[in-house]
Amino acid sequence: MAEYVLEASNLSRIYNKDTENAFEALHPTEVQIEKGDFVAIMGPSGAGKTTLVMILSLLDKPTTGRIKLDGRPTYDYSEKELANYRNESLGFISMDLILWPNLTIEENIALPMTIAKKNKAEIKARVLEVAKLCGIEQILKKKPDKCSGGQRQRAIVCRGIVSNPKFIVADEPTGNLDSKNSHEVLGLFQQLNQQGTGVLLVTHDCQVASYSTKTIYIEDGKISKVLERKDRSQQEYYEELVELTSDNIEELF
Amino acid sequence: MIRLGLKMMWRDKKSSLFYLLAMFIGILVTFTFTTIATDRTVTNTLSELISGANSRVPMNEYLALIVVSFCCILVFYVNNYFILSKQDEIAGLLTYGATTYKVVIYFLTQTAFLFFIASIPAFILGYVSLDFIYQWIDSILGTSNHTLTFQSFAFTIILCMTIYMYLILYIVLHVSKLEVKDILYGERKSENTKPNKFLLMIQGLLKGEDEKGNKVNRNPFDFEMADSLKDKNLVYRPDQGPQFEEFMKLNEAEKAAREKKPKEKKVSLGSSIKIYSALFIAGVVLIPFMKSDNSMMLAFILAFVGIYGLVRRGILALIKYLKEKNMYTDRFSMVYLSNLKNTINRSKIIMILLILSVSVVFFLCLKYRNNVHEMVICVIGYLVTVILLSVCIMFFELIESKQRALVYSNMWKVGYTRKELVTIMRKEMILYYASFFVLPTILCAALSLRFILIDTTYISMCIGLILYYLAVLVVTGCIAYVIYRQTILSAIVEER
């Protein structure tokens, strides 16, 4: 039997419920993520990708449905346990979650460990380790406004992985990066995934999604297709993803 | 979390300094006024003097209460500003595993530390300045032997603790209500908006249904328009109907003339605004000519009801009217009028509070002009009230500016130059502060006229008080403008 890190059933999200502006951003949806999965969520703008990710990251509550973390429903967790889960097991990476301008890059990356009250030496060592992994060890003492967009984005990635999470949720992590830097960041995710870290990636780019092992395609708040990489090469998988998205483009004409 | 809180407080010097300053002013003014209000020598002397004038109003105590209330309002506003400037920090903390309790501790550490830091110099300065204030009071009231009682210290500390309790409550409620997704994606703010029952009822009735969707036999709004609205079969056909037939009978020149005639959209201010304006004008006109204080009070209430309506709806309707008039013709007005409308809409309460308190204390200053002792207290009250409320407005504007950074940065992206954005900000700020100046000044002018008609020597005092109000608004407005400009421009620089 498959070991699920995260299991969501019948998840739906209705914004402005019980008002005349009620909007169902996410229709009842099932999502299962196994240990070590690398899942990409794709879909056009407004399809409900971010809504789904916010719910799966426990940053938003679904209108219906339930989420199980390591086989245990989230309603069983106390607020403290959920916060601990976010701190230790979940690495959230979003470019909207900006770096704090008054802290150095090092202090920003260390934030999840500072919250977890880890000791200073451990924090320093771990921050340096992830900074080296992302190639930003030379800017650790700088403030975010003194760094380039790409460096800031890598720092955000470092902050997401510093606490060695079981599971990474990344919302458009390569949005502002050039192709070389994007490739490096995605390579890093792949490397972490091979070491057993689960990755959930939101993107609208087929090239980015081709790094995953499974792609969930969302349209109008519903999962319309699920594509698994299986034994295909990245190139073949990419071509299939392009075909998947082009189906939708064809519907336009 | 405590260490992180202190570190961030130190690093974010600008926000911390504002908070510190507001707390310093709040504690200083509260301590000074409560000390004077609880001073037995002053109270006894004033009671004797006022009793002699057939009045038993403990003016200094009431005034202290009013001023202390305004201090509290000031601290609350600054606290809101402080918390709002730290939304990204809250989002980061909650996302990376801090519980609500930890976030509250993070803020309370900062608040408590700033409170403590502010209270020491505030008490020292208050204690020192009391010497000068007492000398001044002695020269007016002829009193001496003032003793600083423990009562005023205790009252100030109790008040500070009460405010601190409020701040704890506010922070707890704010953090527990906050959704990370709202901070990150800044949308769906109306998540918990309850449906407008009245609107639903009207919509239902127009459709021939009650608010629960049941069919009703009789529609109370069953007039012609309602019928046409609920009948979905009624479709406007431009090539049919009597108007079309009439049009076809015209000759070519008449047809061309009709077609060319543009349909002008009627922009009106609305009848309720006219009624409120009429009430305000009637009150303002009647105030100077009412013989007794009671009838003057009625005229004042009339004017105030008018002002209340104008602030609640009139100014907004006027801005909407101006906006529609200049739509698409002025590339600035649409933006600054929209911003202004939002800001005024949110600052209605403070505007009404300011108009009421400034005009009432202004009236008291004039009423007691011939009685030096009471007048001094009223003038001090006026000066402090104006300063405290102006600082509140300033902080309110700063809170707004924090929320506007994204709008301005997007405007810059779509082609507005920095110079144009600065012009928009300046115009918005001038109009915002003008709205705070015009209405109370008209009311104060009417009150002044009442006294000037009796004795022309009141003119200089009236002008002095109004000019003081203007000066404080100008100074706080300039500070708010500079910070507003800096906040927006730095957001644009970050985008670059």
Side-chain angles (χ1 to χ4, degrees):
Chain A
M1 197 179 150
E3 193 184 338
Y4 295 120
V5 182
L6 190 144
E7 214 180 334
S9 55
N10 198 29
L11 279 191
S12 79
R13 183 68 171 94
I14 304 169
Y15 291 109
N16 304 321
K17 203 183 169 211
D18 299 330
T19 71
E20 57 264 46
N21 303 322
F23 169 66
E24 193 166 7
L26 191 67
H27 295 269
T29 303
E30 316 282 323
V31 180
Q32 282 98 19
I33 294 164
E34 288 175 42
K35 198 176 176 188
D37 254 355
F38 191 147
V39 181
I41 296 181
M42 283 190 80
S45 288
K49 304 186 293 280
T50 302
T51 302
L52 179 61
V53 160
M54 292 305 280
I55 294 171
L56 295 181
S57 321
L58 315 173
L59 293 172
D60 192 12
K61 288 189 183 99
T63 310
T64 63
R66 63 166 67 171
I67 300 173
K68 280 183 185 174
L69 300 172
D70 298 323
R72 189 177 156 205
T74 46
Y75 57 73
D76 262 8
Y77 284 73
S78 65
E79 198 214 341
K80 200 175 174 186
E81 281 176 314
L82 281 177
N84 277 345
Y85 186 86
R86 278 203 296 268
N87 182 265
E88 288 163 11
S89 305
L90 198 131
F92 187 76
I93 298 166
S94 166
M95 296 312 132
D96 291 298
L97 198 63
I98 57 164
L99 297 167
W100 293 9
N102 298 310
L103 294 182
T104 61
I105 295 289
E106 186 180 20
E107 289 164 332
N108 264 296
I109 297 173
L111 188 66
M113 294 184 85
T114 313
I115 293 169
K117 291 183 185 166
K118 298 274 187 249
N119 73 60
K120 213 172 171 181
E122 192 187 342
I123 293 175
K124 281 217 164 226
R126 179 66 188 152
V127 169
L128 190 65
E129 190 187 334
V130 291
K132 275 183 181 165
L133 214 59
C134 293
I136 52 164
E137 69 272 24
Q138 71 284 2
I139 57 153
L140 284 178
K141 299 290 171 200
K142 285 187 183 174
K143 291 268 179 77
D145 59 344
K146 300 277 181 281
C147 304
S148 70
Q151 286 171 327
R152 282 203 291 257
Q153 199 144 355
R154 282 155 180 255
I156 291 173
V157 172
C158 285
R159 187 178 57 183
I161 62 172
V162 75
S163 51
N164 218 351
K166 274 201 273 188
F167 187 61
I168 294 169
V169 177
D171 189 0
E172 300 279 5
T174 56
N176 298 330
L177 294 178
D178 55 41
S179 58
K180 185 177 169 281
N181 282 314
S182 298
H183 182 75
E184 280 176 16
V185 167
L186 292 164
L188 175 71
F189 285 161
Q190 220 166 23
Q191 193 186 326
L192 291 168
N193 181 242
Q194 278 154 11
Q195 289 163 10
T197 310
V199 180
L200 182 70
L201 192 82
V202 175
T203 183
H204 58 265
D205 187 341
C206 296
Q207 222 170 343
V208 174
S210 70
Y211 283 81
S212 67
T213 52
K214 185 161 96 178
T215 299
I216 297 173
Y217 196 84
I218 299 186
E219 257 180 310
D220 303 324
K222 289 176 205 157
I223 295 180
S224 60
K225 283 155 204 163
V226 177
L227 193 69
E228 288 196 49
R229 182 169 166 179
K230 291 178 180 165
D231 299 327
R232 277 174 285 216
S233 69
Q234 191 173 352
Q235 172 74 23
E236 288 166 345
Y237 187 45
Y238 169 69
E239 281 164 11
E240 203 149 337
L241 285 167
V242 171
E243 208 172 304
L244 178 86
T245 48
S246 62
D247 282 354
N248 294 29
I249 294 166
E250 275 167 21
E251 282 169 19
L252 282 174
F253 306 104
Chain B
M1 218 23 88
I2 292 173
R3 273 171 60 186
L4 184 66
L6 291 175
K7 187 200 264 183
M8 284 309 293
M9 187 196 72
W10 177 247
R11 297 278 177 91
D12 192 6
K13 290 187 191 79
K14 204 171 120 188
S15 294
S16 307
L17 201 68
F18 269 122
Y19 204 6
L20 189 76
L21 200 67
M23 284 175 178
F24 172 74
I25 295 171
I27 297 169
L28 174 69
V29 175
T30 305
F31 176 62
T32 316
F33 270 77
T34 47
T35 309
I36 297 168
T38 52
D39 188 296
R40 286 296 112 209
T41 319
V42 177
T43 311
N44 291 341
T45 315
L46 275 175
S47 304
E48 283 165 21
L49 287 163
I50 294 165
S51 303
N54 293 326
S55 165
R56 291 184 180 279
V57 185
M59 194 72 85
N60 57 337
E61 287 173 23
Y62 277 130
L63 198 68
L65 192 71
I66 292 171
V67 170
V68 167
S69 312
F70 289 145
C71 284
C72 298
I73 293 171
L74 172 69
V75 174
F76 299 156
Y77 266 97
V78 182
N79 180 59
N80 283 5
Y81 172 71
F82 188 68
I83 303 269
L84 273 174
S85 66
K86 289 174 180 284
Q87 295 291 298
D88 289 326
E89 289 173 28
I90 301 176
L93 290 171
L94 289 173
T95 307
Y96 290 113
T99 53
T100 309
Y101 168 74
K102 278 188 178 176
V103 179
V104 171
I105 293 291
Y106 172 81
F107 279 109
L108 288 186
T109 309
Q110 301 187 358
T111 314
F113 192 78
L114 290 172
F115 234 109
F116 180 69
I117 295 286
S119 63
I120 298 169
F123 276 120
I124 294 171
L125 192 70
Y127 187 75
V128 173
S129 60
L130 271 173
D131 241 17
F132 296 100
I133 294 170
Y134 276 142
Q135 276 180 24
W136 183 56
I137 289 174
D138 288 348
S139 67
I140 296 164
L141 295 180
T143 50
S144 61
N145 295 333
H146 301 281
T147 46
L148 191 65
T149 56
F150 177 70
Q151 212 181 342
S152 53
F153 272 113
F155 183 79
T156 312
I157 290 166
I158 290 169
L159 194 79
C160 288
M161 288 296 125
T162 315
I163 294 175
Y164 192 64
M165 289 297 155
Y166 161 80
L167 296 182
I168 294 174
L169 192 70
Y170 178 84
I171 292 167
V172 170
L173 286 174
H174 183 83
V175 175
S176 56
K177 259 179 72 183
L178 213 69
E179 300 267 355
V180 177
K181 68 173 171 41
D182 288 337
I183 305 175
L184 295 187
Y185 302 104
E187 57 191 340
R188 294 144 192 164
K189 291 274 181 199
S190 58
E191 177 76 15
N192 298 315
T193 314
K194 291 266 179 276
N196 185 332
K197 282 194 174 172
F198 180 71
L199 194 70
L200 285 179
M201 188 187 78
I202 299 287
Q203 284 174 346
L205 287 171
L206 290 175
K207 283 189 266 175
E209 294 166 353
D210 65 11
E211 61 267 49
K212 288 174 185 167
N214 304 319
K215 289 278 173 204
V216 288
N217 293 328
R218 182 72 193 152
N219 182 349
F221 295 87
D222 202 6
F223 48 90
E224 204 178 343
M225 193 178 78
D227 275 332
S228 63
L229 277 173
K230 72 180 176 187
D231 190 352
K232 291 193 173 77
N233 296 321
L234 280 178
V235 181
Y236 174 64
R237 294 284 302 272
D239 57 346
Q240 281 180 14
Q243 280 186 352
F244 176 73
E245 283 162 14
E246 189 197 332
F247 180 74
M248 290 309 286
K249 285 176 193 164
L250 301 172
N251 62 42
E252 289 304 311
E254 283 172 332
K255 277 182 187 173
R258 268 206 190 185
E259 281 182 337
K260 274 182 186 172
K261 197 178 172 185
K263 274 191 177 177
E264 277 184 21
K265 196 185 168 188
K266 278 191 178 175
V267 183
S268 69
L269 280 172
S271 55
S272 60
I273 312 305
K274 286 171 192 160
I275 294 168
Y276 285 126
S277 306
L279 283 175
F280 175 57
I281 293 165
V284 164
V285 171
L286 287 173
I287 285 171
F289 305 107
M290 288 290 153
K291 284 183 182 166
S292 69
D293 275 357
N294 286 343
S295 48
M296 194 279 304
M297 194 54 78
L298 281 176
F300 179 82
I301 291 170
L302 201 66
F304 187 73
V305 169
I307 282 194
Y308 180 79
L310 287 175
V311 170
R312 277 188 65 97
R313 296 182 63 185
I315 298 177
L316 299 178
L318 181 69
I319 295 170
K320 195 178 168 195
Y321 172 80
L322 292 172
K323 211 172 108 179
E324 284 178 10
K325 280 235 155 185
N326 296 322
M327 188 78 94
Y328 309 123
T329 52
D330 183 348
R331 88 196 227 108
F332 296 154
S333 68
M334 203 171 73
V335 184
Y336 69 74
L337 288 175
S338 301
N339 285 348
L340 187 68
K341 195 172 162 225
N342 277 336
T343 317
I344 288 181
N345 195 19
R346 287 185 223 204
S347 53
K348 282 186 287 200
I349 295 170
I350 186 120
M351 194 182 262
I352 290 166
L353 190 71
L354 180 118
I355 295 169
L356 184 66
S357 43
V358 166
S359 51
V360 167
V361 186
F362 182 88
F363 171 72
L364 290 174
C365 290
L366 297 180
K367 187 174 165 59
Y368 291 109
R369 197 193 78 148
N370 294 325
N371 190 333
V372 181
H373 314 101
E374 284 129 60
M375 190 201 74
V376 166
I377 294 171
C378 292
V379 169
I380 294 172
Y382 180 79
L383 304 182
V384 177
T385 302
V386 168
I387 287 189
L388 289 178
L389 286 175
S390 304
V391 175
C392 283
I393 297 165
M394 188 183 85
F395 274 101
F396 188 85
E397 186 57 35
L398 295 182
I399 293 169
E400 289 291 307
S401 73
K402 283 268 174 200
Q403 294 165 341
R404 295 256 168 79
L406 186 66
V407 177
Y408 277 99
S409 131
N410 286 341
M411 281 166 59
W412 176 72
K413 282 178 193 164
V414 297
Y416 280 88
T417 63
R418 283 155 60 98
K419 202 176 167 186
E420 284 174 334
L421 294 180
V422 168
T423 311
I424 290 170
M425 284 181 253
R426 193 175 55 240
K427 287 188 174 181
E428 181 196 334
M429 197 61 87
I430 290 170
L431 285 177
Y432 182 62
Y433 272 85
S435 64
F436 274 97
F437 179 69
V438 172
L439 288 175
T441 305
I442 295 173
L443 204 55
C444 289
L447 291 166
S448 308
L449 196 61
R450 180 179 169 77
F451 291 92
I452 292 166
L453 286 175
I454 301 162
D455 184 354
T456 48
T457 55
Y458 274 98
I459 292 177
S460 55
M461 186 180 178
C462 296
I463 293 175
L465 290 176
I466 291 174
L467 281 180
Y468 168 76
Y469 177 53
L470 177 67
V472 174
L473 277 187
V474 168
V475 171
T476 49
C478 286
I479 297 170
Y481 169 67
V482 170
I483 300 170
Y484 186 9
R485 211 177 86 145
Q486 214 178 340
T487 311
I488 301 296
L489 294 182
S490 61
I492 293 171
V493 170
E494 269 175 33
E495 287 284 341
R496 289 166 97 183

